[in-house]
C-alpha cells in the first residue's frame, strides 16, 4: 500500500506542477496530461518498475517463510491447522447427524 501511495502522490505532484503557468513550470507545462499520460508504454513501464522493484522483497519473504520460519509463523500455522482440523471434525459430526442410520 505504501508503494502505491507514493506513486499516487508523485502523479498528484506532476499534475499540480504541470498546472502551474509556464513562467513557473518552464518546459514542463502540462507535460503529464498532454505528452506522457496518453502513452500506454508509460503506464506499462510504471507498473513494471513497481513489480520488478518489489520482486526481490517478495522472493525473500517466500524463501524465509518456507525454509526459515520464525517461531511466530510456526505458532500461527499450528493454530491455523488446529482450527482447520477442529472445523473439519465439526462438519463431519453434523453430516453424521443428518444422515439417518441404516439398519443392516
Amino acid at each position: 500500500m505504501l508503494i502505491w501511495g507514493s506513486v499516487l502522490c508523485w502523479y498528484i505532484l506532476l499534475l499540480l506542477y504541470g498546472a502551474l503557468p509556464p513562467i513557473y513550470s518552464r518546459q514542463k507545462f502540462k507535460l503529464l496530461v498532454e505528452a506522457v499520460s496518453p502513452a500506454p508504454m508509460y503506464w506499462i513501464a510504471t507498473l513494471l518498475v513497481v513489480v520488478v522493484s518489489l520482486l526481490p522483497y517478495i522472493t525473500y519473504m517466500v524463501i524465509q517463510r518456507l525454509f526459515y520460519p520464525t517461531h511466530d509463523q510456526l505458532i500461527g500455522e499450528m493454530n491455523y491447522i488446529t482450527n482447520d482440523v477442529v472445523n473439519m471434525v465439526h462438519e463431519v459430526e453434523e453430516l453424521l447427524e443428518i444422515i439417518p442410520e441404516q439398519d443392516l
Side-chain angles (χ1 to χ4, degrees):
M1 183 66 182
L2 189 62
I3 300 283
W4 293 112
S6 64
V7 169
L8 180 66
C9 286
W10 176 251
Y11 285 122
I12 291 171
L13 176 73
L14 284 177
L15 285 172
L16 293 175
Y17 188 68
L20 291 174
I23 296 170
Y24 299 111
S25 62
R26 308 209 186 241
Q27 300 168 347
K28 305 328 183 247
F29 183 65
K30 296 194 178 186
L31 178 69
L32 179 68
V33 177
E34 294 178 355
V36 177
S37 64
M41 185 57 88
Y42 176 76
W43 297 107
I44 292 170
T46 301
L47 182 64
L48 189 65
V49 164
V50 171
V51 169
V52 168
S53 65
L54 288 174
L55 198 58
Y57 174 74
I58 293 170
T59 304
Y60 169 76
M61 293 304 295
V62 167
I63 291 172
Q64 188 267 331
R65 181 139 181 134
L66 284 175
F67 298 113
Y68 308 105
T70 63
H71 295 297
D72 295 340
Q73 292 169 345
L74 290 173
I75 291 170
E77 287 180 19
M78 283 189 258
N79 286 336
Y80 178 76
I81 290 171
T82 303
N83 289 337
D84 197 30
V85 169
V86 168
N87 291 338
M88 193 180 332
V89 168
H90 289 303
E91 288 175 9
V92 169
E93 289 173 349
E94 289 174 3
L95 286 175
L96 290 176
E97 290 175 0
I98 294 173
I99 300 173
E101 293 182 23
Q102 296 179 358
D103 292 286
L104 297 176

